[in-house]
């Protein structure tokens, strides 16, 4: 069964600290993996998109990694800011029917 | 470009009433998606279109839900009759070239069915 699992479910860190969010998937065959940021009351916004051959991709203070062998991805946030408080959603495309599968998200709260 | 536009932003209705949600995708995008988001189930893909043609509607929960895309710049998601369990935020998104490219989401319609 094609699944995307994210951890932790929620996370609270102090402003300025770093954090790492995890995404494990069982989707096969794999097409690509995306990380979205969703602020409260708004639609998701794309942070990164990674294909099979890409191991690391950065977008400012956000760095995503992908290990296609272990089917794991992480999103690392450096020097967190209050504006990073949001839900982060991992989305994997693939599967025999070319599905788009969403993880349940990690709720990140940055405290001053 | 103004991005994906959705209307209304909020909708409150009574059980049994018909609800119509509207979406204008980003100009030039070939794909349009309808999603539903709830606390319990997260984001769920309901249906998506390519060049105005429905490609995958396997996520549509039941016959009460229907979606149309009469032209490249407009789509509707209709619920008839609505039920309290339909209460959710409904997002429309569009993407260019393929369904696997980055999707650009609208602000969503928050639906409450009493």
């Amino acid at each position: 069964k094609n699944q995307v699992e994210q951890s932790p479910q929620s996370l609270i860190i102090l402003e300025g600290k770093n954090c790492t969010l995890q995404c494990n998937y069982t989707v096969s065959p794999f097409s690509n993996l995306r990380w979205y940021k969703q602020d409260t009351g708004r639609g998701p916004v794309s942070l990164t998109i990674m294909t099979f051959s890409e191991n690391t991709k950065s977008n400012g203070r956000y760095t995503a990694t992908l290990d296609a062998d272990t089917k794991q991805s992480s999103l690392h946030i450096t020097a967190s800011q209050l504006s990073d408080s949001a839900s982060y959603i991992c989305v994997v495309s693939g599967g025999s029917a070319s599905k788009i599968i969403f993880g349940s998200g990690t709720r990140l709260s940055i405290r001053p | 470009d103004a991005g994906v536009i959705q209307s209304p932003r909020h909708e409150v209705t009574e059980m049994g009433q018909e609800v119509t949600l509207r979406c204008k995708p980003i100009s030039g995008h070939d794909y349009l998606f309808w999603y539903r988001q709830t606390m319990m189930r997260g984001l769920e893909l309901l249906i998506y279109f390519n060049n105005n043609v429905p490609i995958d509607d396997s996520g549509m929960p039941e016959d009460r839900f229907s979606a149309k895309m009469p032209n490249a710049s407009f789509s509707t998601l209709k619920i008839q009759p609505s039920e309290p369990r339909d209460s959710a935020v409904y997002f429309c998104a569009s993407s260019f070239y393929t369904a696997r490219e980055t999707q650009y989401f609208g602000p969503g319609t928050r639906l409450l069915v009493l």
Side-chain angles (χ1 to χ4, degrees), chain A residues 31-32 34 36 38 42-44 46 49 89 93 98-100 102, chain B residues 9 33 35 37 43 56 58 91 99-103 105-107:
Chain A
S31 178
N32 64 44
R34 287 166 280 176
Y36 284 88
Q38 185 176 19
R42 304 180 72 106
S46 178
I49 179 169
I89 304 170
S93 297
S98 298
K99 293 294 186 182
I100 302 170
F102 285 74
Chain B
R9 293 294 308 277
F33 307 81
Y35 292 93
Q37 187 175 40
L43 263 171
D56 183 355
S58 59
F91 288 104
R100 298 172 184 175
E101 297 299 318
T102 296
Q103 297 178 22
F105 283 76

Side-chain angles (χ1 to χ4, degrees), chain B residues 11-75:
Chain B
E11 177 80 27
V12 180
T13 190
E14 292 184 343
M15 182 174 64
Q17 296 298 306
E18 178 181 291
V19 175
T20 299
L21 312 181
R22 298 174 176 80
C23 175
K24 180 180 180 351
I26 293 173
S27 177
H29 279 193
D30 301 313
Y31 286 81
L32 183 140
F33 307 81
W34 281 102
Y35 292 93
R36 176 172 67 178
Q37 187 175 40
T38 61
M39 289 292 292
M40 292 297 294
R41 300 173 67 94
L43 263 171
E44 301 174 279
L45 176 63
L46 300 176
I47 185 172
Y48 76 89
F49 295 82
N50 173 217
N51 291 326
N52 314 337
V53 176
I55 302 301
D56 183 355
D57 65 354
S58 59
M60 295 287 263
E62 47 198 277
D63 292 344
R64 297 184 297 105
F65 286 70
S66 63
K68 294 182 180 179
M69 192 165 185
N71 57 63
S73 59
F74 183 66
S75 177

